[in-house]
Amino acid sequence: MSWLPTPALLIIAACLLDWRLGEPRRWHPLVGFGTLASRLEHHMNHLQGAISGRAAGLLAWLMLLLPAVLVAILITWHPLGWLIDVLLLYLAIGARSLHLHAMRVFEALQARDMVRAREAVGMMVSRDSKKLSRGQIASATVESVLENGNDAIFAAIFWFALLGGPGVVAYRLANTLDAMWGYRTPRYRYFGWAAARLDDVFNLIPARLTALAYALCGHTWSALKCWFTQARTWYSPNAGPVMAAGAGALQVRLGGRAPYHGVWKDRPHLGLGAAAEAAHIPASLALIRRSMMLWCVGVLVAWLIWKLLHA
């Protein structure tokens, strides 16, 4: 119907809700989903063979996603379904939460409170935060902001623009399962394979659009240069373009050695210029805000072009 809000307006409404309200402090659906996923994994992750373990992981993935997506289709399939669409996107994005977490690290670094800074960055990254220096804390925070800009904001917007509420539900739950199961540890080596690979598929296009947005909203030439020359060196096919382009856009050097599970891991360097400092944290958040505005404009333009072509 012609009176229904455009996708761009729905996206803007969801982003405004997120910025005004933040994530629900109680009864967040993703918390309940995570609890259910943990219980299902506990019961199904007992097959150690490569084929059987991967099959069990894929089956668990389907058991969790398909019913949720079906419910999303049913509750949005009516004239006022756009209200549910906005609510679903609001629950899927986490721009305000990302901002608050990053600013807690920045404020602690500004106060030279290393204990508080390590605790705050530990809420954002999976590495051993107690072993990080001041510069490594700043770098870890900027890396998390850039990567989660895609995972928690732009990829959700992409799938919403493409498939509405059901699309964003499918993406967000798949991304959550990847965060829970997508590790190359003995426990998840096979069981988490499907969750990791399917999340890669979900993020294939959004990650590159996010990298492009970072480039257009920062130091463009530096971002493009880092993206095209450094992204392939990173261990994640989607995080590589996002973080390389983001580092180039900010003209900062990220990556390098980091402690994971008690072991120091040598990671490639991304970006250029000086190593990350505390000041790069608010700069990375500003890059996210500019990119969000660009995405909203892009969705609106794409919708207008589609309407003109089908007029």
Side-chain angles (χ1 to χ4, degrees), residues 147-168:
E147 186 171 4
N148 281 291
N150 176 74
D151 293 351
I153 303 173
F154 301 118
I157 292 175
F158 172 85
W159 285 105
F160 179 85
L162 197 64
L163 298 174
V168 79

Side-chain angles (χ1 to χ4, degrees), residues 121-122 124-132 136-137 139-144 147-148 179 182-186 234-236 239 243 254-270:
V121 77
M124 301 182 68
V125 299
S126 60
R127 68 198 71 176
D128 302 329
S129 60
K130 293 182 179 180
K131 300 180 180 180
L132 300 180
Q136 289 169 334
I137 291 173
S139 180
T141 305
V142 173
E143 290 174 20
S144 180
E147 186 171 4
N148 281 291
Y183 297 100
R184 297 177 181 178
T185 59
W234 201 249
Y235 53 86
S236 168
M243 293 174 59
L254 303 174
R257 283 170 56 82
Y260 292 89
H261 309 293
V263 178
W264 283 88
K265 181 178 180 180
D266 289 317
R267 306 177 306 160
H269 285 289
L270 300 175

Side-chain angles (χ1 to χ4, degrees), residues 39-54:
R39 292 176 179 174
L40 188 63
E41 184 268 338
H42 177 74
H43 288 290
M44 295 185 66
N45 187 12
H46 55 80
L47 301 174
Q48 297 303 314
I51 297 177
S52 58
R54 289 173 178 174

Side-chain angles (χ1 to χ4, degrees), residues 51-282:
I51 297 177
S52 58
R54 289 173 178 174
L58 176 59
L59 178 60
W61 190 93
L62 292 171
M63 289 172 63
L64 289 166
L65 257 75
L66 291 182
V69 173
L70 179 59
V71 170
I73 292 173
L74 293 175
I75 64 178
T76 56
W77 196 260
H78 56 80
L80 294 180
W82 61 270
L83 291 173
I84 305 298
D85 280 334
V86 171
L87 179 61
L88 291 175
L89 181 57
Y90 154 66
L91 292 172
I93 60 178
R96 180 173 175 81
S97 176
L98 182 62
H99 175 88
L100 293 176
H101 280 296
M103 287 305 294
R104 289 192 189 103
V105 180
F106 173 71
E107 291 164 2
L109 290 176
Q110 289 293 91
R112 299 190 177 279
D113 187 341
M114 296 300 294
V115 173
R116 185 158 58 97
R118 291 188 178 104
E119 291 176 352
V121 77
M123 300 294 291
M124 301 182 68
V125 299
S126 60
R127 68 198 71 176
D128 302 329
S129 60
K130 293 182 179 180
K131 300 180 180 180
L132 300 180
S133 66
R134 178 183 176 87
Q136 289 169 334
I137 291 173
S139 180
T141 305
V142 173
E143 290 174 20
S144 180
V145 168
L146 295 175
E147 186 171 4
N148 281 291
N150 176 74
D151 293 351
I153 303 173
F154 301 118
I157 292 175
F158 172 85
W159 285 105
F160 179 85
L162 197 64
L163 298 174
V168 79
V169 167
Y171 165 72
R172 201 68 183 93
L173 298 188
N175 185 251
T176 299
L177 291 180
D178 174 60
M180 296 179 66
W181 301 347
Y183 297 100
R184 297 177 181 178
T185 59
R187 178 172 179 172
Y188 296 111
R189 180 182 178 186
Y190 298 127
F191 186 84
W193 176 85
R197 298 291 77 76
L198 290 167
D199 183 70
D200 286 343
V201 173
F202 269 105
N203 274 300
L204 186 64
I205 297 175
R208 283 142 187 87
L209 292 177
T210 300
L212 180 60
Y214 288 166
L216 295 175
C217 294
H219 294 274
T220 304
W221 178 248
S222 297
L224 294 175
K225 178 181 178 181
C226 293
W227 176 2
F228 296 145
T229 61
Q230 299 174 349
R232 62 180 177 270
T233 68
W234 201 249
Y235 53 86
S236 168
N238 294 322
V242 169
M243 293 174 59
L250 296 169
Q251 293 192 315
V252 65
R253 182 163 52 85
L254 303 174
R257 283 170 56 82
Y260 292 89
H261 309 293
V263 178
W264 283 88
K265 181 178 180 180
D266 289 317
R267 306 177 306 160
H269 285 289
L270 300 175
L272 48 79
E277 299 177 354
H280 289 106
I281 296 174

Side-chain angles (χ1 to χ4, degrees), residues 26-45:
R26 300 179 63 184
W27 310 112
H28 196 299
L30 285 178
V31 176
F33 177 79
T35 300
L36 179 61
S38 294
R39 292 176 179 174
L40 188 63
E41 184 268 338
H42 177 74
H43 288 290
M44 295 185 66
N45 187 12

